[in-house]
Amino acid sequence: MADEKDSGNGSIRRLPRDLVWDLVVETVLLELGGLAVFGVFTLLVWPFWGLPDSDTLATGLIVTGPAVWPAVELYRAGPPRRAAVVAAVLALATVTLLVAAAVNRALPALADSEAGIFIGCLVAMPVGAAVFAWCLNRANVA
């Protein structure tokens, strides 16, 4: 994922330029895969137990759990940068809350089911991954 370049006085780590875009696309694809798995699970259990709740921990883990792995792999590949992690977590929380507030305001019927938080988390995952990759790439190039 990272290549090294020697500039005479030591080596500089450079990450690929399209790292942010690749990480966002991979995160979105994994989220869509998680949604597909959850959809198949819902179709299989629906005749027996009814529709599962959308706000359960299992739903969140099935849908958003795999989407974390591209960022984790990037974190393991390079030196840990605390600022990049903090920026990503803050972006994740901020976007989740903003989207949840917008969904709850636009669709008040969904406010009680916590669907806004779930949708906010789905939107925030690629944003957090993009902020993490951008900050990590900027720190490594500087």
Side-chain angles (χ1 to χ4, degrees), residues 10 37 53 57 69-70 81 98 105 107 111-112:
V37 168
D53 294 334
L57 180 62
W69 288 110
R81 303 282 186 187
L98 288 174
R105 185 161 177 94
L107 304 168
D112 290 337

Side-chain angles (χ1 to χ4, degrees), residues 1 48 91 95 115-117 131 139:
M1 184 168 267
F48 305 107
V95 171
I117 292 287
V131 168

